[in-house]
Amino acid sequence: MAISLSNFLFAICPLLSLISAGTVTHDFEVSWIYANPDGSQNRPVMGINGQWPIPTITATKGDRIIVNLKNSLGNESTSLHFHGLYMNGSTHMDGPIGVTQCEIPPGSSFTYNFTVNLIDQPGTYWYHSHQRGQYPDGLRAPLIVHDTDSPHKNLYDEEIVLSFSDWYHDLMNPLLAQFLSIANPSGAEPVPDSSLLNETRDLSVKVEPGKTYLVRMVNMGAFAAQYVWFEDHTMQIVEVDGIYTEPTDADMIYMTVAQRYSVLITTKNTSDANFAFVGSMDQDLFDTVPEGLNPNVTGWLVYNDANEKPAPKELQAFDPFDDYTLVPQDKEEIYDHVDQQITLDMKMDNLDDGENYAFFNDITYVAPKVPTLYTALSTGANATNPVIYGANTNQFILAENQVVEIVLNNDDPGKHPFHLHGHAFQVVYRSEEEAGFYDPNNHTAFPSTPMRRDTILVRPNGNIVLRFRSDNPGIWLFHCHIEWHVASGLIATIIESPLSLQSQLDGRIPANHLQACADAGTPTAGNAAGNTKDVFDLSGENTSPGTLPAGFEAKGIVALVFSCIAAFLGMAVISWYGLSEIKK
Ligand SMILES: *[C@@H]1O[C@H](CO)[C@@H](O)[C@H](O)[C@H]1NC(C)=O
Ligand SMILES: *[C@@H]1O[C@H](CO)[C@@H](O)[C@H](O)[C@H]1NC(C)=O
Ligand SMILES: *[C@@H]1O[C@H](CO)[C@@H](O)[C@H](O)[C@H]1NC(C)=O
Ligand SMILES: *[C@@H]1O[C@H](CO)[C@@H](O)[C@H](O)[C@H]1NC(C)=O
Ligand SMILES: *[C@@H]1O[C@H](CO)[C@@H](O)[C@H](O)[C@H]1NC(C)=O
Ligand SMILES: *[C@@H]1O[C@H](CO)[C@@H](O)[C@H](O)[C@H]1NC(C)=O
Ligand SMILES: *[C@@H]1O[C@H](CO)[C@@H](O)[C@H](O)[C@H]1NC(C)=O
Ligand SMILES: *[C@@H]1O[C@H](CO)[C@@H](O)[C@H](O)[C@H]1NC(C)=O
Ligand SMILES: [Cu+2]
């Protein structure tokens, strides 16, 4: 029987679409350059190919992305994480150092090579360094995945990309040294000096009357969530963190660091006036607000260059849209049966070096000697035993294709934005602040089609309940996205289907990845301590400082610090006060 050409094309159609998927290749050389984005302080920033801001990566669903990265910083190691991309089958391209790769030391190169999921990865993402505390020095930019099948494609004329971020005048290294210090026992985070829009201030966005724009927004900051609003224009939310939503109106959104929103904005029919839009940092996050801090960054929808750009009107209160009420456009139903539960009780406290750390279940994260992925790949059947991953990695082994529930109890008065690599999760519950620990027998009804995203805020002393399916073998971090809290250890390691991971990747780690390890002197086999002979012997592994005697609190450490100074000055009275605090 003769087969018609169209039937034939139809039959090989899936193949055709694979063939037509493109490849986006970037050669990125990272080096220090100088920039002064807020006009108040010229400082070194991490540029790419001699430029900063660094380039946006743009791709289409199904494309392969290749980034050939050369580290020419000279004095710091680096890496790149592609935030929000699932990395199916390519967890070794995910970026976090000590987890899925070795650090890339100065002078070394490393190739990221992965495909963007054909089916379910359109939308607004970003990429950034996943070396400890590094991206706020400038190594961060949007990553946009276009979608010819977008359900909203007929609803807009043009697309606008906007990044929001806090900004520090000092570099992260000295700030981290101040933050993680016996002189800062309460763990007060450095407060940003200003706030940027598209890595600058006073941004003009040209618009035309009578059009609808898809405005993609990313918070690439280190710390501060942003309230965002456009004066006299309504936002219609259509995507959060790569998940299409039912179009939903909002006058103001609250965007934590690492979150993204796409909104439709329809412009006025006349060009009579220009309109301000504002990002305002959530100052609740700051322990003390320095005098003179301007938490706001203003941009303008510019209809006509000849007209003035009005100062924004002052708001009396912030009343942002509640993202928990969003409904995904695909109406994926709640996973109502949980197979595996992970409970994370988080708190901040001091260890016996006097510094302030962050904990899940009383353990603060310390990176292992061997990146966790390489432990999983080199330990055979023992890879399913959590012990081999070390005492300080907060590791959880997931079986394949389970519905996993993460219950996070925030035993801290701060707000924290949590991010899971490798998945988007259903947010089945988010408590109000001060609700305490999650009580499975006492909560409001779960939504039937919960919002999904990859970064979610937990409220002060509140809790969240997240669910996802373990259908993506890999090593995935779950962590607070405030860079200060990444540094103080608010990280858990999800080890998903390690045996399937072995069949996916064993022997397939590219030579340039292993070369970076060799250059850095990082071992690539064995347990968390690098022991390949007896994987249950963890002697020599990296661990945190010890715990303080019970009752020894931040106040006591302050007293101790002052008592030392006092003793040095011979002021015996204050010295006695300090000691009495410790005995208490
Ligand atoms: C690395 O070099 C930059 C640019 O010269 C400098 O500002 C920074 O302090 C250096 N960092 C370290 C850790 O030495
Ligand atoms: C990227 O990965 C694909 C699939 O493994 C491979 O065919 C290709 O050669 C790789 N490209 C580079 C530049 O490493
Ligand atoms: C803002 O930055 C993004 C990428 O970083 C760029 O695509 C966009 O054109 C910029 N917008 C304006 C108005 O300059
Ligand atoms: C602009 O004009 C169109 C067509 O007349 C109308 O439907 C729309 O409501 C107007 N938009 C605004 C913001 O006034
Ligand atoms: C920032 O914006 C808020 C909200 O409009 C306003 O209350 C505050 O006064 C502004 N701060 C500065 C320094 O402009
Ligand atoms: C890729 O992983 C994501 C996240 O787990 C999952 O939702 C999706 O089904 C996977 N896609 C494929 C094609 O395997
Ligand atoms: C249930 O939760 C509410 C709100 O958090 C709280 O006020 C109430 O006391 C709780 N009831 C029980 C029986 O624990
Ligand atoms: C597991 O580790 C132990 C101790 O290193 C070793 O004796 C055993 O052979 C390992 N099992 C497998 C299946 O690799
Ligand atoms: Cu945090």
Side-chain angles (χ1 to χ4, degrees), residues 274-335:
N274 300 325
F275 294 86
F277 64 97
V278 185
S280 187
M281 296 193 284
D282 178 3
Q283 299 179 75
D284 285 359
L285 290 156
F286 308 155
D287 282 29
T288 49
V289 179
E291 194 148 348
L293 173 72
N294 182 354
N296 306 330
V297 62
T298 305
W300 286 273
L301 296 178
V302 176
Y303 287 74
N304 183 343
D305 272 324
N307 290 339
E308 64 149 353
K309 295 176 192 158
K313 295 177 205 82
E314 225 175 272
L315 298 187
Q316 298 314 309
F318 297 107
D319 184 16
F321 177 83
D322 181 0
D323 61 334
Y324 181 61
T325 62
L326 287 169
V327 174
Q329 183 259 340
D330 62 13
K331 300 249 173 49
E332 183 187 86
E333 285 179 16
I334 187 169
Y335 295 129

Side-chain angles (χ1 to χ4, degrees), residues 305-474:
D305 272 324
N307 290 339
E308 64 149 353
K309 295 176 192 158
K313 295 177 205 82
E314 225 175 272
L315 298 187
Q316 298 314 309
F318 297 107
D319 184 16
F321 177 83
D322 181 0
D323 61 334
Y324 181 61
T325 62
L326 287 169
V327 174
Q329 183 259 340
D330 62 13
K331 300 249 173 49
E332 183 187 86
E333 285 179 16
I334 187 169
Y335 295 129
D336 54 8
H337 169 83
V338 172
D339 301 305
Q340 202 173 343
Q341 195 190 45
I342 295 173
T343 301
L344 298 169
D345 298 340
M346 67 152 287
K347 63 166 192 188
M348 318 295 245
D349 205 351
N350 301 96
L351 289 178
D352 68 10
D353 60 355
E355 296 175 16
N356 194 276
Y357 290 87
F359 302 81
F360 280 139
N361 304 337
D362 294 322
I363 292 172
T364 186
Y365 180 87
V366 179
K369 284 190 168 160
V370 176
T372 302
L373 172 63
Y374 299 152
T375 294
L377 294 181
S378 64
T379 49
N382 284 322
T384 57
N385 190 327
V387 171
I388 66 168
Y389 299 99
N392 274 95
T393 56
N394 283 315
Q395 66 277 47
F396 294 88
I397 314 280
L398 300 188
E400 195 142 10
N401 227 7
Q402 307 285 294
V403 172
V404 181
E405 178 176 87
I406 297 179
V407 173
L408 188 141
N409 295 310
N410 178 10
D411 197 8
D412 178 82
K415 300 175 181 172
H416 300 269
F418 278 93
H419 170 48
L420 177 62
H421 291 219
H423 293 273
F425 41 69
Q426 297 183 337
V427 181
V428 304
Y429 186 65
R430 171 166 59 195
S431 81
E432 295 303 321
E433 59 182 74
E434 305 305 327
F437 282 27
Y438 173 63
D439 177 352
N441 300 313
N442 181 22
H443 57 77
T444 52
F446 292 155
S448 54
T449 50
M451 177 205 24
R452 297 199 309 279
R453 59 187 318 164
D454 63 45
T455 307
I456 180 76
L457 179 84
V458 62
R459 298 196 171 106
N461 292 108
N463 60 71
I464 45 176
V465 180
L466 316 174
R467 290 182 186 167
F468 63 96
R469 185 174 285 284
S470 54
D471 57 2
N472 190 16

Side-chain angles (χ1 to χ4, degrees), residues 266-269:
T266 299
T267 52
K268 310 275 176 202
N269 282 336

